[in-house]
């Protein structure tokens, strides 16, 4: 014996069926398109003194406060060199420059000095690297052997980035509690 469903119960069943269908279609679409929800920084990108150097096209034009994309992202967009972009959506921001000690070229020694100096400057602004809501961290951009020996380049550029990927707001606005 079949019983008739009340209008309220029929509506609830119909609504549940629509929600399940929409969920399945969205999941199938994400799987089919290969949508990656992993943040860019989580894609095994190591940002340290070897990530970018003074020979990276466009890097010598940057000043304090300039934001830019990772080289791989820039390349994927068809850009031949790094360019200044808006900070929201970028992966990197220059926050200071430091003068390195006069010494014979030794990449490892210079990298250690620059990393330590950039980290000190970072701690003054944001505290512990990698901590806070936005997981901000720091890396130095070094001179190259050519720019060190031939051009007398003694500057390291200090860059802030988020371990979570692109910036949601300008990192300078994050402050120490982030």
């Amino acid at each position: 014996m079949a019983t008739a469903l009340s209008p309220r119960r029929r509506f609830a069943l119909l609504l549940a069926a629509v929600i399940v269908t929409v969920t399945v279609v969205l999941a199938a679409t994400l799987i089919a398109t290969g949508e990656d929800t992993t943040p860019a920084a989580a894609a095994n990108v190591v940002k340290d003194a070897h990530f970018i150097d003074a020979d990276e096209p466009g890097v010598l034009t940057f000043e304090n406060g300039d934001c830019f994309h990772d080289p791989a992202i820039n390349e994927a967009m068809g850009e031949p060199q790094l360019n200044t972009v808006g900070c929201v959506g970028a992966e990197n921001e220059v926050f200071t420059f430091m003068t390195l000690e006069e010494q014979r070229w030794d990449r490892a020694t210079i990298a250690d000095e620059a990393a330590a100096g950039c980290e000190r400057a970072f701690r003054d602004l944001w505290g512990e690297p990698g901590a806070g809501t936005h997981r901000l961290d720091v890396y130095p951009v070094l001179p190259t052997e050519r720019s060190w020996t031939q051009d007398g380049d003694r500057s390291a550029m200090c860059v802030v980035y988020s371990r979570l990927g692109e910036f949601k707001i300008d990192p300078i606005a994050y402050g120490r509690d982030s």
Side-chain angles (χ1 to χ4, degrees):
M1 168 176 186
T3 59
L5 294 174
S6 71
R8 186 176 286 173
R9 184 165 169 98
R10 211 174 333 172
F11 176 77
L13 287 172
L14 179 62
L15 182 60
V18 167
I19 290 172
V20 168
T21 302
V22 167
T23 303
V24 168
V25 168
L26 286 175
T29 302
L30 286 175
I31 291 168
T33 61
E35 185 69 32
D36 184 7
T37 57
T38 305
N44 296 326
V45 175
V46 176
K47 293 188 179 182
D48 60 11
H50 303 284
F51 182 60
I52 298 173
D53 65 25
D55 280 346
E56 182 73 40
V59 79
L60 294 177
T61 65
F62 293 148
E63 299 176 0
N64 286 342
D66 285 349
C67 291
F68 60 97
H69 290 299
D70 286 352
I73 293 171
N74 210 63
E75 185 178 310
M77 295 185 320
E79 296 290 336
Q81 69 177 35
L82 295 179
N83 300 303
T84 300
V85 297
C87 290
V88 175
E91 295 80 29
N92 309 278
E93 182 173 10
V94 178
F95 71 94
T96 195
F97 288 82
M98 62 174 291
T99 302
L100 300 165
E101 290 183 27
E102 185 64 43
Q103 59 188 297
R104 206 172 103 85
W105 171 259
D106 177 55
R107 190 174 203 304
T109 302
I110 291 166
D112 288 346
E113 179 188 348
C118 287
E119 189 171 306
R120 276 191 304 276
F122 178 93
R123 287 176 190 276
D124 289 344
L125 294 170
W126 293 286
E128 187 67 26
T133 305
H134 300 286
R135 305 286 309 269
L136 297 179
D137 210 334
V138 59
Y139 67 91
V141 175
L142 303 179
T144 62
E145 182 175 11
R146 182 199 48 75
S147 70
W148 184 272
T149 57
Q150 293 177 14
D151 304 334
D153 183 6
R154 300 296 185 267
S155 292
M157 182 170 71
C158 299
V159 180
V160 61
Y161 72 98
S162 172
R163 292 182 183 176
L164 302 176
E166 66 184 34
F167 298 132
K168 303 302 179 204
I169 63 172
D170 184 338
I172 298 299
Y174 286 153
R176 207 174 217 332
D177 297 328
S178 295

